[in-house]
Amino acid sequence: MACSAHVEEGDTVAVSVAIEQPLPDSGWGIGITRGTILQGLQRDPYHFERNGLYIGQGRTVFSRAGIFRASKGIAVNMTDRVFSLPSFHDVLEGEIFLQNLPSIATAHALDPQKGERILDMCAAPGGKTTGIAILMKDEGEVVAVDRSHNKVLDIQKLAAELGLTCITTYKLDALKAVCKIDGLSDMATSNCSKNNMDMTLKNSDLPRSHENRVSSVMAEELNANITAVSIEKANERTYVGKADIRKNERIMRNGPGRNQSQGGRVEKSKGFLPNSFDRILLDAPCSALGLRPRLFAREETIESLRNHGNYQRRMFDQAVQLVRPGGVIVYSTCTINPGENEALVRYALDTYSFLSLAPQHPRIGGPGLVGCCELPDGYVEEWLRPGEEELVQRFDPSSSLDTIGFFIAKFNVGSKTCPIQNL
């Protein structure tokens, strides 16, 4: 945040931590910009001697100018620390995994059971995924998907470190999580196989005799479609466009690219059949307004925040199709924006009559927001209704829990009496 003038590479410097303090009006801190120094708490014995909390001495790796120009890297190597507690990065690997309290509560709210099939729709980096697998005693199947190749590798690495074997990973965009069974090419993929179809029917509420009959008919149709695709593909002439040729030449010349830079194998998925999971966790991508510190975060606008909400609704629609009747959906974000939290709950309950809010255990966070908000363009954003606020968990960074901003909602899935909309 700040550095004394005339500091050069190799100098010995004192290092202090800027302490953010509560204000008289119950707010927090000040407008922090590069170069701002905060004074620290008065009970600190070095309060009047140093700006901030003194933590030790170190040797600079860059000059002052270089420190502020570099976008990442180590600025100071600490040589003499006041505190002997080491960094937990790569310490006790496979023994502990540091995680925020709300993230731990999310896995418990899902309440996974042994033998169930569970989907983590936006799983990277894998903290909640592995937490779910541990709560299941590593018995059952946790399907973890993410659209980034390297992030899926991170999930695999973490699962291996913790010795978990029930986690299956795929590279998949959560917006395309439902398998398109009306497309022949999609029906020919492994994730839309007969085994997946049978499992889906097994989890449905159909009578056993009807289930077997439908399973047999759908399996015959599936095999016929796959045969038709094979014959059609065999009769087609192979054509390679100039763009494909240039792409292959570029890969041969430059390597596989950043997405494959870590090596390792990541299996791609074409999606899953409806009603094929007992429980689903959707820890949705969000504006991340609850994370801290956010020193150089981009500015959000009303329009960008609304776009986040629309994006999350599309993902939630996918989750509703994939969960079986009688199952559970847990939705979570790391933002304090009601438009991505309470407004999503309102959308879910108003759109799907078979969804209902469920109590969460353990309950650590505070209640949700009730009411609505009229935005500058006249749009009214509806939140929770009276009686619903105690069924969700909202974590406020300014509360006594001192956690990141977070939100958790849990839905019970009733009988799907009407066909799921083609969303």
Side-chain angles (χ1 to χ4, degrees), residues 33-173:
T33 60
R34 185 173 292 180
T36 298
I37 299 177
L38 302 182
Q39 184 61 28
L41 300 177
Q42 291 189 4
R43 62 175 177 266
D44 171 17
Y46 298 101
H47 175 79
F48 296 104
E49 299 179 27
R50 300 183 176 92
N51 292 321
L53 177 64
Y54 176 72
I55 61 171
Q57 292 184 350
R59 191 172 299 278
T60 56
V61 179
F62 297 100
S63 65
R64 183 183 188 277
I67 289 174
F68 288 119
R69 286 175 183 159
S71 59
K72 60 181 180 179
I74 297 176
V76 179
N77 275 322
M78 298 299 294
T79 57
D80 185 12
R81 303 170 184 266
V82 172
F83 305 100
S84 60
L85 181 66
S87 168
F88 279 104
H89 182 65
D90 293 334
V91 176
L92 299 177
E93 185 173 301
E95 300 294 330
I96 63 171
F97 180 77
L98 297 182
Q99 199 170 28
N100 285 305
L101 177 61
S103 298
I104 298 173
T106 302
H108 283 272
L110 187 64
D111 192 25
Q113 302 297 315
K114 292 182 180 180
E116 290 184 331
R117 190 173 193 240
I118 296 176
L119 174 64
D120 190 347
M121 292 183 66
C122 303
K128 298 181 185 66
T129 305
T130 52
I132 292 169
I134 291 172
L135 292 175
M136 296 171 61
K137 308 298 183 183
D138 205 22
E139 297 181 22
E141 183 183 15
V142 181
V143 179
V145 302
D146 197 276
R147 65 180 184 178
S148 166
H149 174 276
N150 286 344
K151 288 183 178 180
V152 174
L153 289 177
D154 291 338
I155 301 172
Q156 294 177 355
K157 180 177 181 292
L158 180 59
E161 290 174 359
L162 298 178
L164 300 170
T165 60
C166 71
I167 297 175
T168 305
T169 59
Y170 295 103
K171 179 182 177 182
L172 174 66
D173 187 344

Side-chain angles (χ1 to χ4, degrees), residues 371-388:
C372 62
C373 175
E374 183 174 354
L375 301 180
D377 60 359
Y379 175 78
V380 177
E381 183 179 87
E382 296 189 22
W383 302 339
L384 302 180
R385 294 171 184 167
E388 296 174 340

